Amino acid sequence: MRLAVVTGASAGIGAATAAAFLADGWRVTSVSRRPCPVPGADSLACDLADPAAVDEAAAALAEAAAAAERVVLVHNASLLRHDAADGTDPEDFARVLQVNLGAPNALNRAILPRLGAGSAVVYVGSTLSEKAVPGAHSYVVTKHAAVGMMRATCQDLAGRGVHTACVCPGFTDTAMLREHVGTDAGTRAAAASLSAFGRLIEPAEIAETIVWAATHPVVNGAVIHANLGQLER
């Protein structure tokens, strides 16, 4: 049995990733507060902002991983706040750190020891994993850190036949993007204009990239930019 564990698969890139793995013959378990809407996917209810809930979910997932021939762990869930370096609320910052880094760390601690050769750990970063914009302080900090966590995971798993990658999407047409930039058509068009193709990325395009990265160990330790060629202005 091949098992794909996808955090935050209740919508957006996560749901598209669950669908892509199912289409490729994998069993899929979503880890999220809300159920995964994709038929055939299993859902494990978990508030990733709650360390105790994450530890409980991690223990259950560790048992499932131990029974699987190959496992792909996709750290997709993330929290995005409007905040700035000179005014980020400590509690909000701690919550973003927990969802974006603490939860992946806890899942890694429980699941990585059970992974067999041919398995993979894929982190979902962002174009903001390697640059910054104003008004997204905690998100930028944690997405930079996700690349470091992926690279550290690569080094620590060397010799075990398990590979890692970090897929960094550009502006993708998801609820998170709409919440961040608003629903104004002009603002969305401005975001779309930042790609060389002049459009937003579809979640399924990122999902296909994640599945490809998860099944091609040659990219071990790599940061994969999936942004349609983002323009710098």
Side-chain angles (χ1 to χ4, degrees):
M1 181 262 290
R2 298 182 301 164
L3 172 66
V5 176
V6 185
T7 65
S10 58
I13 290 172
T17 300
F21 273 109
L22 282 167
D24 198 38
W26 293 69
R27 176 180 173 184
V28 174
T29 298
S30 165
V31 185
S32 182
R33 287 181 301 168
R34 294 173 291 146
C36 177
V38 180
D42 299 322
S43 294
L44 180 59
C46 177
D47 182 356
L48 296 170
D50 181 350
V54 175
D55 286 342
E56 183 177 347
L61 291 167
E63 291 186 17
E69 178 184 357
R70 292 169 60 192
V71 177
V72 171
L73 175 57
V74 181
H75 295 301
N76 165 73
S78 64
L79 188 59
L80 171 61
R81 297 288 197 213
H82 287 281
D83 53 22
D86 59 355
T88 298
D89 179 80
E91 291 186 5
D92 282 346
F93 189 63
R95 185 177 179 85
V96 174
L97 286 175
Q98 166 58 28
V99 173
N100 296 6
L101 296 173
N105 180 67
L107 293 172
N108 283 349
R109 186 174 64 246
I111 296 173
L112 264 53
R114 275 81 174 176
L115 298 186
S119 297
V121 185
V122 179
Y123 296 79
V124 179
S126 165
T127 55
L128 298 182
S129 290
E130 295 189 336
K131 67 178 186 179
V133 295
H137 173 69
S138 56
Y139 186 78
V140 169
V141 169
T142 54
K143 287 303 181 180
H144 273 65
V147 171
M149 184 178 283
M150 180 277 295
R151 288 172 171 157
T153 306
C154 171
Q155 295 298 311
D156 289 336
L157 297 183
R160 290 176 46 184
V162 178
H163 73 277
T164 72
C166 184
V167 175
C168 293
F171 287 106
T172 307
D173 193 8
T174 63
M176 176 182 285
L177 177 69
R178 291 189 288 273
E179 290 170 5
H180 190 64
V181 305
T183 57
D184 178 73
T187 303
R188 285 170 56 81
S193 73
L194 293 176
S195 95
F197 280 68
R199 66 172 177 84
L200 296 177
I201 301 162
E202 293 297 325
E205 294 178 286
I206 303 301
E208 291 171 2
T209 307
I210 290 170
V211 173
W212 183 88
T215 53
H216 288 77
V218 71
V219 298
N220 191 23
V223 176
I224 300 172
H225 298 281
N227 56 31
L228 289 175
Q230 190 156 322
L231 303 179
E232 302 298 335
R233 294 176 177 172

